[in-house]
Amino acid sequence: MICGNKNDLEKILPYLTENLTKALNYIESTDFSTMKNVEYTVDGRNIFCRVNIYTTEWKELRRPESHNDYIDVQYLNRGNETIWYCPKCGDEIVVEDNSKENDVLFYAPVDEKDCVNLKNGDFAIFSPWEIHRPNCSSGGVPADVQKIVVKVKAF
């Protein structure tokens, strides 16, 4: 997992792949404040984004997930949110496999020990070898957020 704030991109961009750089440059240059909850194309199916407006929930109500084909760049445009994460170990139990249709696998509860707390302007990058549990309330208090998830083709 890599995290940061869009105001500090010049520090991180030299260390990223071309497609991750494109994704973060898209985040930096786009005004998401009036965008609707739909999918937007950035570079065909190599890079696209989904705008999401919702209220965060308690961790126990959210399901851990991972992706096989795409890296998630989760950018918080408004609000605050906690995302729990851990590496895939191979012994996790898949309870719902939508990998062919939507590139998402959902898991039975896993024991994530780490989390990232996002606020306005923050992003977190999750790779296919990581499980993450997004949309969790920070400090146990639900919050209204606008989050942009930029999907970057991993392979």
Side-chain angles (χ1 to χ4, degrees):
M1 193 275 303
I2 299 170
C3 63
N5 186 281
K6 81 173 193 174
N7 294 326
D8 299 322
L9 286 181
E10 70 281 347
K11 296 176 188 174
I12 192 171
L13 291 180
Y15 302 99
L16 299 178
T17 66
E18 181 181 342
N19 280 344
L20 280 173
T21 297
K22 284 181 187 177
L24 288 172
N25 282 332
Y26 175 76
I27 287 170
E28 182 181 40
S29 64
T30 304
D31 177 9
F32 295 103
S33 63
T34 60
M35 294 175 77
K36 300 195 182 319
N37 275 8
V38 294
E39 186 172 290
Y40 297 88
T41 299
V42 178
D43 182 15
R45 296 314 289 171
N46 289 321
I47 305 171
F48 60 95
C49 82
R50 295 179 178 139
V51 175
N52 303 286
I53 298 171
Y54 56 88
T55 302
T56 58
E57 299 178 311
W58 288 272
K59 177 184 179 188
E60 297 76 22
L61 298 176
R62 303 298 308 161
R63 296 188 293 176
E65 64 182 61
S66 73
H67 312 284
N68 293 329
D69 299 327
Y70 286 90
I71 296 167
D72 264 9
V73 180
Q74 299 206 11
Y75 168 70
L76 207 62
N77 193 53
R78 182 177 67 244
N80 57 62
E81 174 178 321
T82 297
I83 303 175
W84 292 87
Y85 65 95
C86 64
K88 281 186 189 176
C89 296
D91 58 354
E92 299 85 12
I93 299 168
V94 175
V95 295
E96 188 176 337
D97 183 346
N98 293 322
S99 57
K100 289 185 176 139
E101 303 85 14
N102 299 315
D103 189 42
V104 64
L105 296 120
F106 292 105
Y107 297 89
V110 295
D111 188 24
E112 310 102 320
K113 296 194 180 352
D114 295 310
C115 68
V116 60
N117 295 303
L118 302 180
K119 58 186 183 329
N120 297 358
D122 291 341
F123 63 86
I125 301 172
F126 297 95
S127 298
W129 58 84
E130 296 170 304
I131 293 174
H132 54 287
R133 190 186 307 224
N135 306 16
C136 297
S137 300
S138 294
V141 179
D144 294 330
V145 302
Q146 183 192 39
K147 184 168 68 178
I148 290 71
V149 179
V150 181
K151 308 293 274 183
V152 178
K153 189 77 169 161
F155 307 104

